[in-house]
Amino acid sequence: MTETARERVAIIGTGLAGLTTAHLLQNDPKKRYAVTLLEQADSLSFDSASVAVKSHETGAVERVDLPMRASAGGYYANLNRMYHHLEVPMHPVRFLFVFAKALKQRGTEAGNCQDSSQSPSAAASAVPDGYFVHASNLHQLPPPRPSAYSTWRYLLEILYLIICHAWFRAACFLVRPHDESFAQYLERIWLPRRYTTHYILPLMSSVSTCTHDELLAFPASDLVNYNKFSYGQQHYTVCGGVQQVQSRLSRGIEDICVRSRVLEVLPRSSGKVLIRWQDTVGAQEEVFDRAVLAVSPDVASRLFAPLKTTGLDKIPTTWVESSVLTNASRAHSLVDSDDRTSQGKVACMHHAAVEVESASTQVITLRTQFSGLGGARSEALHTMPSGVVVSTCPLDGESEATQKRTLKTAGFRRTLRTVESRATVERIFRDGSGGTTDGWVNGENNVWLAGSWCWDGMVLLEGCVVSAMRVADEFGVEIPWRK
């Protein structure tokens, strides 16, 4: 098939969903599609917030992803298969999760203060107001004891957690969720309240980057399936950051339009799709054979009028901030992305210091504010191998002490899940082969949706890949990493 005979496909949004969709269509073995990427930011968005940070102490340069990107076997099956197919370098990482109370008199600077001479275990034990340390996959037994706890008190806490953890795990495998929220499910299985508020909610809200109340409104099936499929699985991160993924997915795609803010997506009577956007030159419009909206549900509903009747604009979203902070005991600076000399020294800290424990074991402190305006919420403070700290959902990001340590802050729109929004998504992505076909469905008017929210599961990277694979299936494109 010649280039002029290819169907033109516009993909709006260049996060992981948009890039994966573009990669699959661009590499169609039958060469049927010509892809155009439209992105309103200055660059492809999947890696746009990530930074390179230089340690003044060692001279090492580390790529730090914003927000943090980590995956685990099991739940992230399709993501990991794609990474393997693309030959994305990955390495296993172990975490020490420190559960701590966020007291008013202490700020973010007290959350993670790992000194260069401290091991991760010592740093985890020393976190102020910490009440437990959990080693991922139980890689360290017994876990480090918080400095404020006596041995006997800590042993009692461990015994309590063994019972509660076994209780919750058994329920995840044996008690099937109904069409109910996570809060309703927890009440139905009679899980002890303290275990829920002090352990389950801080950990899972940090994964979902939302408040505790927002997490409790999630469909129970989301949390149950996540815990079932990720149980006992190894965590992985991408060596050198997700720029490795972005560069591989975008390879070979020539028609990339950045600084192009899409204004409207209009279906035509001919079956084609008219897209209007604004770029640095002015107003633009082009007709495409098909379009893929790889954006959040509120943006999709605003761009494409038929979606306004689906209730997509009512799916809740929230604004999330993530920052890179210098560690109190080290000096760091950002490396200019245009500085090729410095950029050439960027290395995976795991392989650069493989003999150092901190390269493979990293501390994540979950500081929880149990009361206050907006309800309980947790801040995640992830100490990277270079010593910088990635803060997500900050509790006191506006404080003077935090501002002095901030190297960069980035924000992103997070789609939330509820029982009602789950039903909305299911209606949109039904195939029409059974039951009613009232309302717009995915693919109608030659417009498709993709994104982390476009599947029946947690709003995470796995959803991006699954939704992109769905688009490829409907376009008749082979997915090379599928068994």
Side-chain angles (χ1 to χ4, degrees):
M1 184 177 287
T2 63
E3 181 69 29
T4 55
R6 291 187 179 190
E7 289 192 44
R8 298 190 66 209
V9 181
I11 299 176
I12 301 168
T14 59
L16 183 60
L19 291 177
T20 303
T21 305
H23 174 81
L24 287 169
L25 302 186
Q26 179 71 23
N27 292 279
D28 172 30
K30 297 180 181 179
K31 301 187 182 302
R32 291 166 291 178
Y33 304 104
V35 173
T36 297
L37 284 172
L38 294 166
E39 170 59 53
Q40 69 173 355
D42 295 338
S43 61
L44 298 179
S45 65
F46 186 47
D47 182 56
S48 62
S50 302
V51 294
V53 179
K54 181 177 181 180
S55 168
H56 295 171
E57 178 183 336
T58 65
V61 179
E62 179 182 25
R63 188 72 177 180
V64 178
D65 289 331
L66 283 180
M68 172 194 170
R69 315 280 191 176
S71 62
Y75 196 79
Y76 291 88
N78 291 288
L79 176 75
N80 289 332
R81 288 189 194 118
M82 183 182 76
Y83 282 179
H84 180 73
H85 168 76
L86 296 173
E87 298 182 345
V88 172
M90 300 178 69
H91 61 73
V93 60
R94 297 175 298 188
F95 294 114
L96 290 175
F97 294 98
V98 183
F99 295 86
K101 297 177 181 179
L103 301 183
K104 290 184 178 179
Q105 64 268 30
R106 300 190 190 275
T108 296
E109 63 273 11
N112 271 47
C113 301
Q114 185 172 337
D115 186 88
S116 57
S117 62
Q118 282 184 309
S119 68
S121 297
S125 297
V127 171
D129 307 310
Y131 54 87
F132 193 76
V133 181
H134 168 65
S136 60
N137 295 332
L138 304 180
H139 71 265
Q140 184 174 339
L141 291 176
R145 176 173 58 85
S147 57
Y149 272 38
S150 67
T151 301
W152 283 109
R153 183 183 179 188
Y154 199 48
L155 289 176
L156 287 174
E157 187 73 6
I158 290 175
L159 179 60
Y160 169 78
L161 289 177
I162 289 174
I163 296 171
C164 292
H165 188 68
W167 188 337
F168 180 59
R169 287 297 182 188
C172 287
F173 283 94
L174 300 176
V175 182
R176 185 175 180 177
H178 298 158
D179 187 17
E180 61 190 337
S181 69
F182 189 45
Q184 292 169 327
Y185 181 81
L186 292 174
E187 289 182 7
R188 188 158 64 89
I189 66 172
W190 292 84
L191 194 67
R193 181 173 178 80
R194 180 173 173 272
Y195 178 68
T196 296
T197 58
H198 284 61
Y199 293 97
I200 296 293
L201 296 181
L203 181 60
M204 294 309 302
S205 67
S206 71
V207 172
S208 303
T209 56
C210 62
T211 67
H212 292 195
D213 287 343
E214 289 167 342
L215 183 72
L216 287 169
F218 275 37
S221 58
D222 285 14
L223 283 301
V224 170
N225 288 332
Y226 181 88
N227 280 279
K228 282 173 61 177
F229 291 111
S230 61
Y231 177 66
Q233 297 290 332
Q234 177 65 57
H235 292 87
Y236 295 93
T237 56
V238 176
C239 301
V242 295
Q243 63 178 346
Q244 301 268 14
V245 181
Q246 179 172 283
S247 63
R248 285 165 169 78
L249 289 175
S250 60
R251 188 177 297 155
I253 302 175
E254 297 180 354
D255 195 6
I256 300 177
C257 304
V258 296
R259 302 187 186 93
S260 299
R261 185 170 65 90
V262 175
L263 305 173
E264 197 172 16
V265 177
L266 297 169
R268 314 305 289 172
S269 58
S270 62
K272 295 182 184 295
V273 184
L274 173 67
I275 298 181
R276 293 177 176 148
W277 71 90
Q278 186 84 22
D279 61 16
T280 55
V281 176
Q284 309 289 342
E285 66 175 49
E286 283 190 39
V287 175
F288 294 85
D289 296 292
R290 310 186 189 198
V292 180
L293 307 184
V295 294
S296 60
D298 54 325
V299 173
S301 181
R302 187 170 68 248
L303 296 179
F304 187 52
L307 288 174
K308 289 182 170 61
T309 62
T310 64
L312 205 62
D313 58 335
K314 295 180 175 60
I315 293 180
T317 63
T318 188
W319 185 252
V320 176
E321 287 191 351
S322 188
S323 301
V324 179
L325 312 175
T326 59
N327 190 288
S329 62
R330 304 190 190 185
H332 302 84
S333 60
L334 298 182
V335 175
D336 190 342
S337 59
D338 295 326
D339 185 350
R340 296 185 179 273
T341 302
S342 296
Q343 284 290 325
K345 298 178 182 178
V346 177
C348 170
M349 297 298 289
H350 174 83
H351 292 109
V354 70
E355 74 282 357
V356 180
E357 182 187 358
S358 61
S360 59
T361 302
Q362 298 173 19
V363 177
I364 298 180
T365 300
L366 305 175
R367 294 178 62 239
T368 299
Q369 177 181 287
F370 288 100
S371 61
L373 186 64
R377 57 197 182 105
S378 297
E379 172 186 21
L381 293 157
H382 179 191
T383 301
M384 304 297 292
S386 64
V388 296
V389 176
V390 177
S391 165
T392 304
C393 300
L395 298 178
D396 43 20
E398 299 300 322
S399 70
E400 182 179 353
T402 300
Q403 289 294 319
K404 287 181 178 179
R405 295 178 54 201
T406 301
L407 295 176
K408 180 177 179 177
T409 297
F412 61 96
R413 180 66 59 183
R414 164 69 82 180
T415 302
L416 301 173
R417 292 269 287 175
T418 64
V419 174
E420 294 76 20
S421 71
R422 181 192 185 198
T424 298
V425 171
E426 287 181 340
R427 284 195 300 270
I428 291 173
F429 289 97
R430 68 186 184 274
D431 60 14
S433 59
T436 179
T437 58
D438 293 337
W440 188 88
V441 295
N442 194 45
E444 191 174 343
N445 308 119
N446 276 326
V447 175
W448 281 260
L449 300 174
S452 57
W453 58 275
C454 296
W455 77 314
D456 190 23
M458 299 278 282
V459 184
L460 301 171
L461 295 181
E462 178 70 6
C464 295
V465 178
V466 169
S467 62
M469 292 169 63
R470 181 196 291 118
V471 173
D473 282 337
E474 297 194 18
F475 281 42
V477 174
E478 177 186 343
I479 299 170
W481 56 82
R482 176 185 284 156
K483 292 183 180 179

